[in-house]
Amino acid sequence: NPYGTQRGRKGSSDARGPCTALSSASSPEMLRGKRVIVTGASSGIGEQMAYHLARMGAHVLVTARTEAKLQKVVERCRELGAASARFVSGSMEDTAFAEEVVKEAENTWGGLDMLILNHIGHSYFNYFDGDVDHIRKLLETNFLSYVAMTVTALPMLKESEGNIVVVSSVAGKAPGPFAAPYSATKFALDGFFSSLRHEFIIENVNVSITLCILGYIDTGKLNQETLTTWKAKIEDTFVN
Ligand SMILES: NC(=O)C1=CN([C@@H]2O[C@H](COP(=O)(O)OP(=O)(O)OC[C@H]3O[C@@H](n4cnc5c(N)ncnc54)[C@H](OP(=O)(O)O)[C@@H]3O)[C@@H](O)[C@H]2O)C=CC1
Ligand SMILES: CC(C)CCC[C@@H](C)[C@H]1CC[C@H]2[C@@H]3C(=O)C=C4C[C@@H](O)CC[C@]4(C)[C@H]3CC[C@]12C
């Protein structure tokens, strides 16, 4: 359930309420023909979101680093009924690439209705090891690229009165152990996008910002051992 959706509407003549992003997610018809970018769409939650959008008849542009996987995702999207499907591959460690993805949408569609920011760079989930460079790199990938894509996409999203969806985590709202670098990048997203949402309301910008706070979703990334070890460590400290 998306958290914190709010649409700028003070004095607006737009009849759509603050829940447009929510209802579009539950009413397939509202996504038909919409032009949507999904990042981190070569696996996991991003890949599944691309398939949902395809079933709803949207135009999808998927991105991640692994071209071979993206090719398969695009094929599947076409089979599922996407209005069109294409990919751009590259790394979000580089904000220039982030901007390039948005420009690709502009060049092919001449506009954009929804920007779904979902990718995350690789991190470790254990005691903080003191590696400052890792945090800098993770901030580039998990945070700055989100900002860069938003900046580049904003003129098109204003034009379409579109939606920005930011995928975050429980670890971006309530910090727990073994996730310091990752948690920091997710808190950064909340600070930036929640502040921007307030500005949109003040300035009557009719672009919604939805921050999604997800709990654990098994996408085959964590092995049972990691989960059991975590549970034991956390229970030792907080429960026993
Ligand atoms: N799964 C979970 O339990 C939870 C997930 N979330 C959030 O959901 C979102 C999706 O997570 P999930 O599906 O689990 O993650 P996955 O690890 O399955 O997918 C991550 C995606 O990001 C891409 N990616 C990785 N590194 C880069 C990079 N440097 N540049 C561009 N793309 C990159 C990967 O593709 P490639 O390697 O090909 O680049 C992949 O498509 C994230 O924002 C995560 O924080 C939140 C809470 C819980
Ligand atoms: C209030 C708290 C006690 C609740 C604790 C919830 C914990 C267990 C939840 C909240 C956020 C979750 C992590 C997350 O956001 C993203 C990923 C990346 C993915 O590739 C592998 C799984 C991982 C590490 C999740 C693991 C489980 C976490 C820490």
XYZ file of all heavy atoms in Angstrom, residues 120 125 169-171 182 216 221-222 230, ligand 2:
121
model
N 18.226 -0.499 -6.694
C 19.175 -0.282 -5.586
C 20.502 -0.908 -5.976
O 20.539 -1.954 -6.620
C 18.714 -0.899 -4.234
C 18.121 -2.303 -4.430
C 17.752 -0.001 -3.517
C 17.935 -3.083 -3.143
N 24.358 -6.493 4.307
C 23.443 -6.347 5.437
C 24.053 -7.042 6.640
O 23.814 -8.213 6.912
C 22.054 -6.884 5.060
C 21.406 -6.036 3.984
C 21.632 -6.282 2.636
C 20.616 -4.946 4.326
C 21.081 -5.469 1.652
C 20.058 -4.125 3.352
C 20.289 -4.389 2.008
N 11.542 1.416 1.906
C 11.547 0.223 2.747
C 11.201 0.604 4.178
O 11.346 1.765 4.578
C 12.961 -0.358 2.700
O 13.206 -1.238 3.766
N 10.809 -0.381 4.966
C 10.656 -0.178 6.410
C 11.970 0.390 6.965
O 11.965 1.267 7.834
C 10.302 -1.520 7.104
C 10.453 -1.413 8.603
C 8.901 -1.959 6.733
N 13.094 -0.075 6.384
C 14.408 0.401 6.813
C 14.648 1.867 6.450
O 15.651 2.456 6.853
C 15.505 -0.472 6.207
N 22.389 1.093 3.625
C 21.137 1.001 2.885
C 20.069 1.903 3.508
O 19.391 2.668 2.825
C 20.681 -0.465 2.896
C 19.307 -0.739 2.347
C 19.096 -0.812 0.972
C 18.217 -0.948 3.193
C 17.832 -1.074 0.458
C 16.954 -1.221 2.689
C 16.769 -1.285 1.329
O 15.517 -1.549 0.826
N 9.664 -6.955 4.197
C 10.439 -7.993 3.509
C 9.605 -8.714 2.453
O 8.490 -9.142 2.707
C 10.994 -9.003 4.523
C 11.772 -10.111 3.850
C 12.891 -9.817 3.081
C 11.366 -11.435 3.963
C 13.594 -10.825 2.442
C 12.067 -12.447 3.329
C 13.177 -12.138 2.571
O 13.864 -13.126 1.932
N 16.733 -13.434 -2.978
C 18.053 -12.826 -2.804
C 18.745 -13.262 -1.513
O 19.945 -13.412 -1.458
C 17.950 -11.291 -2.814
C 17.694 -10.726 -4.183
C 18.985 -10.554 -4.994
C 18.760 -10.696 -6.486
N 17.834 -9.712 -7.023
N 17.945 -13.433 -0.459
C 18.540 -13.789 0.833
C 18.379 -15.278 1.055
O 17.303 -15.822 0.850
C 17.826 -13.047 1.971
C 18.030 -11.543 2.096
C 17.328 -11.038 3.336
C 19.510 -11.187 2.168
N 20.086 -13.349 11.306
C 19.561 -12.025 11.652
C 18.575 -12.088 12.794
O 18.640 -11.344 13.742
C 18.782 -11.488 10.461
C 19.556 -10.577 9.591
C 20.865 -10.241 9.696
C 19.040 -9.894 8.463
N 21.203 -9.397 8.690
C 20.106 -9.162 7.924
C 17.798 -9.833 7.863
C 19.955 -8.368 6.804
C 17.651 -9.050 6.754
C 18.724 -8.328 6.218
C 10.386 -2.677 12.665
C 11.410 -3.738 12.368
C 11.603 -4.661 13.552
C 10.994 -4.538 11.128
C 12.188 -5.206 10.506
C 11.927 -5.514 9.055
C 13.213 -5.987 8.353
C 13.452 -7.452 8.722
C 13.101 -5.773 6.834
C 12.741 -4.328 6.524
C 13.506 -3.944 5.277
C 14.039 -5.203 4.733
C 15.214 -5.224 3.727
C 15.059 -4.272 2.598
O 14.504 -3.209 2.715
C 15.655 -4.590 1.329
C 16.357 -5.715 1.125
C 17.086 -5.881 -0.159
C 16.830 -7.221 -0.781
O 17.661 -7.398 -1.916
C 17.113 -8.315 0.229
C 16.238 -8.133 1.423
C 16.435 -6.807 2.140
C 17.816 -6.784 2.765
C 15.334 -6.659 3.210
C 15.573 -7.602 4.406
C 14.533 -7.445 5.514
C 14.360 -6.013 5.986
C 15.625 -5.501 6.672
